Amino acid sequence: MGLPILTSEPGAQDIAAQIRDGKLSPSEAVDQAIKRIEELDGDINAVPVRDFDRARAAAKEMDSVTPSYDRPLFGVPMTIKESFDIEGLPTSWGHEQFKGNIAKRDAKVVRQLKGAGAIFLGKSNVPPDLADWQSNNPVYGQTRNPHDHTRSPGGSSGGGAAAVAAGMVPCEYGTDIGGSVRVPAHFCGVWGHKSSWGLISKQGHDHPQMSGRDAHDGVLSIAGPIARNADDLDLLIRMTATVSLGEAGKPLKSCKFLVIGDQTASPVDASVAGPMEHALAELEKAGVSIARSSDLIPDLEQQHADYMRMLGIAMARGAPGPDGKRASATDWFDLLDIQCRSELAWAALFQTFDYVIAPPAPVVAIPHDDRPVRDRTVSINGTDRPFAEVFAWAGISTFPNLPSTVLPVGESGGLPTGLQIIGPRWSDLDCIAIARAVGEILHR
């Protein structure tokens, strides 16, 4: 099955290699990326916060420096989600009242990536409070899917995925609590990685109400990269990980996969299920072991309910919910206990299976919809269903704190489709490696 690809621009490591080989200077790499943004972004609106002058100045300083392998992103231009602080740039999280909130320091991820040699051209668009599968806000407007401007690129890291898919930049760093890296990757036909919870620091990724003060790295939420290939995901994780990751290195054909292709809480539309089944058939044809059911799968309907309750409390920071009720400390500790039991149940499953394959979302890129999320519906196989159901496919790995890599596998009606490969906690590099191996079979 073909992939809808919009660009032939090189990835981050290819650009870095050209710079090391003397075929390209950092200034040339930056100028080319800026030109692409200026030419392509008018109708997409992926990169509304631009820092071109400082990017050119940083590149010019690098032009006279000899690249080294200990800075593997040397001279590579990229963007980052608007919600990360970059000193001197606004961090508004999509709120007009905070559009003048200028960061006084870089987020830790920004410092890590700059240390690896990356040059930031600016920041990508998000929805208010990073709380939607769209990227539309009153400060910067609506971001459109580069494959179909009538549809969303996903959210909340939608601007970044759109910029990567369109070829403006080779890579991006986003965050994910409700599918915010995985869904944009799926909607835009690129690669994304939801990291194990706690792997990547989110220091400097705080709501502007915090005004640059350090805050607790909240439950569920992670930082993770978006790129056009697995190798770049791997490098971006290595450059930002705060704990040492092991690598099993088990070959694809020695692995045992379990497919979770449907949930009671969230059925999957044929536009996603069809390409996924085609991909699974290709993997089985190549000799990959795939199981379609197991008694080890946790109660996903109950997990979805627990996840949505924890998600709601976390996103509201304990404020009363739509029903006016406030969760007590006892409620919160009970949820933490439930989450712990979920982690243990998934760990038991991974004693039998190496990886789980699942849809990143039950639908392809959704049409733009101005209704609040709680009032919104989504059409699945011709039936309108409550939009909140779709988060079951994000929560499947978010609630138990597991890593998940999304790769593109096909298309439906010209729109990209993907699948997510979920592994045990801290198996981030293995998830990416297995996704790479899957892609080598499906993309040949």
Side-chain angles (χ1 to χ4, degrees), residues 125-438:
N125 205 16
V126 298
D129 291 330
L130 321 182
D132 199 351
W133 277 12
Q134 301 183 109
S135 294
N136 180 25
N137 67 68
V139 179
Y140 301 120
Q142 182 181 79
T143 300
R144 302 166 189 87
N145 192 306
H147 295 272
D148 180 345
H149 294 173
T150 69
R151 294 177 181 263
S152 168
S156 59
S157 308
V164 171
M168 299 180 209
V169 291
C171 59
E172 158 87 6
Y173 228 97
T175 60
D176 188 318
I177 191 173
S180 291
V181 163
R182 291 163 288 164
V183 171
H186 167 64
F187 280 7
C188 292
V190 293
W191 296 65
H193 183 73
K194 177 217 168 291
S195 57
S196 297
W197 186 83
L199 176 64
I200 311 297
S201 171
K202 290 188 22 271
Q203 182 188 38
H205 183 275
D206 304 311
H207 195 283
Q209 285 179 323
M210 302 299 290
S211 299
R213 293 172 290 163
D214 289 325
H216 173 257
D217 189 358
V219 300
L220 303 175
S221 177
I222 62 87
I226 296 171
R228 288 195 295 273
N229 60 69
D231 289 347
D232 287 349
L233 290 185
D234 179 279
L235 177 61
L236 290 163
I237 288 293
R238 292 178 190 272
M239 292 298 99
T240 53
T242 59
V243 300
S244 179
L245 292 172
E247 296 178 74
K250 193 172 181 180
L252 175 65
K253 292 183 183 179
S254 298
C255 294
K256 189 174 182 181
F257 291 82
L258 172 65
V259 174
I260 300 178
D262 206 1
Q263 293 190 56
T264 304
S266 180
V268 177
D269 191 75
S271 61
V272 173
M276 181 171 162
E277 284 300 321
H278 177 82
L280 294 173
E282 290 297 307
L283 292 176
E284 289 178 319
K285 190 186 304 182
V288 177
S289 173
I290 297 175
R292 302 297 183 123
S293 64
S294 172
D295 293 338
L296 294 170
I297 299 173
D299 183 340
L300 296 180
E301 188 168 8
Q302 183 60 52
Q303 176 177 297
H304 176 56
D306 295 331
Y307 162 66
M308 291 300 288
R309 180 156 170 73
M310 178 175 270
L311 179 67
I313 296 170
M315 294 289 282
R317 292 181 64 87
D323 60 0
K325 296 180 180 179
R326 184 189 295 271
S328 68
T330 299
D331 293 332
W332 186 247
F333 282 109
D334 286 346
L335 271 174
L336 291 175
D337 290 339
I338 292 168
Q339 186 187 36
C340 176
R341 291 192 286 272
S342 175
E343 291 181 12
L344 293 172
W346 281 95
L349 182 150
F350 286 120
Q351 292 296 309
T352 298
F353 297 97
D354 295 289
Y355 301 97
V356 168
I357 295 176
V363 291
V364 294
I366 56 175
H368 300 296
D369 192 332
D370 293 333
R371 291 175 293 175
V373 172
R374 70 174 63 94
D375 299 330
R376 197 179 301 164
T377 58
V378 60
S379 178
I380 297 180
N381 295 322
T383 300
D384 287 341
R385 302 182 66 94
F387 192 80
E389 292 181 356
V390 303
F391 293 100
W393 294 104
I396 195 171
S397 57
T398 298
F399 190 65
N401 291 325
L402 302 174
S404 170
T405 302
V406 169
L407 73 154
V409 298
E411 62 86 25
S412 186
L415 295 171
T417 62
L419 57 79
Q420 60 176 324
I421 296 178
I422 304 165
R425 193 173 185 188
W426 310 122
S427 67
D428 295 72
L429 298 177
D430 287 324
C431 279
I432 294 170
I434 287 297
R436 179 195 296 113
V438 168

